Amino acid sequence: MGKSKYKKLIGNSFIFAVGNLGSKLITIIMVPVYTFTLSTQEYGAVDLVQTTANLLLPIITLSIFDAAFRFALDDGVDSKKVFTNSFFVTIVCSALGLLVVPLFKIAVGDLYIFLYIIVVLQSFQSLMSEFARAIGKVKTFAANGIITTLFLTGSNILFLVVFQYGVNGYLWSIIIATVISILFLIFSLRVQMYIDRKLLEWQFIHKLLIYSIPLIPNAFAWWINNASSRYFILYFIGVSANGLYAVANKIPSLLSVLNSIFFQSWQMSAVEEYSSENREAFYSNVFRMYLEMLFLATAAILFIVKPMMSLVVSKQFYVSWKLVPFLLLTVVYSSVSGFLGTNYIAAKKTTGIFVTTVLGAVLNIMFNMIFIPQMGINGAGLSSMLSFLVIFVIRYFDTKKITRIKIDKKNFLMNHLVVGTQIAVMLLISNEVLMLALNCCLLILTIFIDKEVLGYIFKSIITQIKRRIGDYEE
């Protein structure tokens, strides 16, 4: 029984890896297409639309897709009832969103119609994909990620490279890929089976919204921590600088791949094991491996980032490699903050998520106003890193009231020391050969520090592959 929960976590992570790894890597591979077909100003504009869509999605939908995921996980809850009521809320909210469309123009100018269409489509996509994950349709969830990315990539090549439609082509690609995703989820899940008007119940909708509404300011605050820097860059420096910042953010998304693969399965395990007597040991063991995995991946990305950027982006974007180190640490701290945040979700104490994230958002705004004028674009990365570090520290101590998660302090400090040295070497040593040699030594040192998790991951992957091959042969 004890090992089964680890096997389930690893098994789900493997499935999510299949769905996410290829799709995210394709997104990275597409960076040269974006940087060679769009100017820094154009790329900054489309990034602004995507960033604003991420902000509006939980606001317009009242974050109902989060409630659908959490309530559908509960034993004894009718999944049809959860989906029917969540679907109804999504329809009503999308219609009401038309009333505020003119306000979208303030944020993104003439691209505001694209923004509204993208937000509405992603509302239904998020609801169905999160519901699929909650009811155990993890293969459908993973397949959806692959299909969406393939269509996004194909339409990007068609509209940007072949027809050279620029910004409009990029945004049409998002719309087409999202529509295909929705159609796939409708047919795969047989959505009509989960919709029953007789199950519409205002009291249940109220229950869903009591859970989801506190997550709206949390999502807004989380967005401030992740994305508000772009608006400060836009104000203090300009739209071209925002294009550089957007490209630099693509590299840490390699680390975000690992985080999303793990986090999607961890949310399910955290809720399922919340009532277990051994949950503290389980949470602590998983957290230790998770943290080591993040630092190991960070060290590897820092080692390859500069030579990689010289190959995959045009000359006007190359300088963006200098922005990557702080953004990588931002992903590390946001990832571990999210891990600790699952304690609040499992306990249905979403107020804790809200309070800690809002505090981080306030600090992020203050740091941006201080550091960007002084340090330029790098000040944005530093601001995000510091704000997420604060969230992580506060949540670590606050969630002890729910579940006591232990940290291997020695390993934690050693990883910070090595990665911090890597960043210093990258930014301070101009000799390319010396920099690569030192970074190689530091990467080897990180592998030694985190050899336990590396061995465990390797063993788990081999086990999963053998199991899949065995299932196939049968």
Side-chain angles (χ1 to χ4, degrees), residues 40-41 43-49 52 106-109 227-243 245 368 372 376-377 380:
T40 53
Q41 187 170 1
Y43 197 83
V46 295
D47 180 68
L48 208 59
V49 172
T52 308
I106 298 173
V108 297
S228 66
S229 299
R230 289 166 167 80
Y231 293 93
F232 286 98
I233 290 170
L234 197 65
Y235 178 77
F236 286 114
I237 308 174
V239 69
S240 292
N242 191 53
Y245 188 75
N368 273 317
I372 292 178
I377 312 177

Side-chain angles (χ1 to χ4, degrees), residues 309-328:
M309 291 289 273
S310 66
L311 296 173
V312 301
V313 301
S314 63
K315 289 182 179 179
Q316 62 178 332
F317 286 93
Y318 173 67
V319 71
S320 60
W321 74 263
K322 295 180 179 179
L323 312 177
V324 171
F326 286 140
L327 294 174
L328 276 172

Side-chain angles (χ1 to χ4, degrees), residues 125-239:
Q125 180 194 43
S126 297
L127 173 63
M128 287 186 275
S129 62
E130 288 301 295
F131 182 72
R133 188 160 62 103
I135 61 174
K137 303 282 187 180
V138 290
K139 291 182 180 178
T140 298
F141 181 89
N144 177 60
I146 295 173
I147 290 169
T148 303
T149 306
L150 288 175
F151 275 92
L152 179 63
T153 303
S155 52
N156 266 328
I157 292 172
L158 182 65
F159 293 143
L160 293 178
V161 179
V162 180
F163 294 128
Q164 298 181 355
Y165 286 164
V167 171
N168 286 352
Y170 187 102
L171 296 175
W172 272 114
S173 297
I174 295 174
I175 291 171
I176 291 170
T178 309
V179 169
I180 296 296
S181 168
I182 291 170
L183 292 174
F184 169 76
L185 290 167
I186 287 172
F187 288 111
S188 297
L189 295 174
R190 297 182 181 179
V191 166
Q192 68 275 10
M193 293 174 54
Y194 295 97
I195 299 176
D196 186 346
R197 286 184 296 177
K198 294 177 182 178
L199 295 176
L200 271 177
E201 184 182 309
W202 294 111
Q203 191 173 359
F204 189 72
I205 289 175
H206 181 254
K207 190 176 180 180
L208 291 171
L209 293 177
I210 285 176
Y211 175 87
S212 69
I213 286 176
L215 293 175
I216 299 172
N218 169 71
F220 178 67
W222 199 259
W223 174 87
I224 288 175
N225 283 309
N226 274 302
S228 66
S229 299
R230 289 166 167 80
Y231 293 93
F232 286 98
I233 290 170
L234 197 65
Y235 178 77
F236 286 114
I237 308 174
V239 69

Side-chain angles (χ1 to χ4, degrees), residues 124-417:
F124 290 96
Q125 180 194 43
S126 297
L127 173 63
M128 287 186 275
S129 62
E130 288 301 295
F131 182 72
R133 188 160 62 103
I135 61 174
K137 303 282 187 180
V138 290
K139 291 182 180 178
T140 298
F141 181 89
N144 177 60
I146 295 173
I147 290 169
T148 303
T149 306
L150 288 175
F151 275 92
L152 179 63
T153 303
S155 52
N156 266 328
I157 292 172
L158 182 65
F159 293 143
L160 293 178
V161 179
V162 180
F163 294 128
Q164 298 181 355
Y165 286 164
V167 171
N168 286 352
Y170 187 102
L171 296 175
W172 272 114
S173 297
I174 295 174
I175 291 171
I176 291 170
T178 309
V179 169
I180 296 296
S181 168
I182 291 170
L183 292 174
F184 169 76
L185 290 167
I186 287 172
F187 288 111
S188 297
L189 295 174
R190 297 182 181 179
V191 166
Q192 68 275 10
M193 293 174 54
Y194 295 97
I195 299 176
D196 186 346
R197 286 184 296 177
K198 294 177 182 178
L199 295 176
L200 271 177
E201 184 182 309
W202 294 111
Q203 191 173 359
F204 189 72
I205 289 175
H206 181 254
K207 190 176 180 180
L208 291 171
L209 293 177
I210 285 176
Y211 175 87
S212 69
I213 286 176
L215 293 175
I216 299 172
N218 169 71
F220 178 67
W222 199 259
W223 174 87
I224 288 175
N225 283 309
N226 274 302
S228 66
S229 299
R230 289 166 167 80
Y231 293 93
F232 286 98
I233 290 170
L234 197 65
Y235 178 77
F236 286 114
I237 308 174
V239 69
S240 292
N242 191 53
L244 292 174
Y245 188 75
V247 168
N249 260 302
K250 291 293 183 183
I251 306 304
S253 66
L254 287 167
L255 186 56
S256 297
V257 171
L258 292 175
N259 177 52
S260 60
I261 288 169
F262 169 81
F263 198 72
Q264 286 162 356
S265 56
W266 170 245
Q267 275 188 316
M268 298 168 68
S269 293
V271 172
E272 290 167 357
E273 294 297 325
Y274 181 71
S275 300
S276 169
E277 293 180 1
N278 299 318
R279 80 166 184 270
E280 291 188 359
F282 176 57
Y283 282 23
S284 295
N285 288 335
V286 174
F287 184 71
R288 176 175 55 81
M289 291 188 291
Y290 180 51
L291 202 56
E292 289 182 11
M293 179 186 70
L294 287 172
F295 275 109
L296 192 60
T298 298
I301 293 171
L302 285 172
F303 175 67
I304 66 169
V305 64
K306 194 173 179 182
M308 182 178 69
M309 291 289 273
S310 66
L311 296 173
V312 301
V313 301
S314 63
K315 289 182 179 179
Q316 62 178 332
F317 286 93
Y318 173 67
V319 71
S320 60
W321 74 263
K322 295 180 179 179
L323 312 177
V324 171
F326 286 140
L327 294 174
L328 276 172
L329 287 178
T330 297
V331 174
V332 170
Y333 294 134
S334 67
S335 298
V336 292
S337 296
F339 183 100
L340 294 173
T342 55
N343 283 317
Y344 297 118
I345 292 171
K348 291 186 179 178
K349 296 181 178 179
T350 49
T351 304
I353 293 181
F354 164 64
V355 172
T356 52
T357 309
V358 167
L359 177 60
V362 171
L363 289 174
N364 184 269
I365 291 171
M366 291 171 57
F367 291 149
N368 273 317
M369 294 178 70
I370 295 169
F371 293 132
I372 292 178
Q374 299 297 321
M375 299 174 58
I377 312 177
N378 241 330
L382 179 61
S383 300
S384 296
M385 184 196 77
L386 290 175
S387 61
F388 276 114
L389 176 59
V390 171
I391 294 173
F392 162 60
V393 172
I394 294 174
R395 283 188 180 179
Y396 174 68
F397 290 103
D398 187 51
T399 55
K400 286 182 178 293
K401 296 179 292 186
I402 302 171
T403 304
R404 297 182 68 85
I405 294 178
K406 296 178 181 178
I407 289 181
D408 184 339
K409 296 182 178 64
K410 181 180 177 182
N411 181 276
F412 186 72
L413 291 172
M414 288 179 68
N415 271 307
H416 271 87
L417 181 62

Side-chain angles (χ1 to χ4, degrees), residues 102-126:
L103 296 178
F104 293 2
K105 194 169 185 178
I106 298 173
V108 297
D110 293 337
L111 301 173
Y112 69 100
I113 297 297
F114 281 108
L115 177 60
Y116 174 73
I117 295 171
I118 289 170
V119 169
V120 169
L121 290 174
Q122 289 182 348
S123 298
F124 290 96
Q125 180 194 43
S126 297

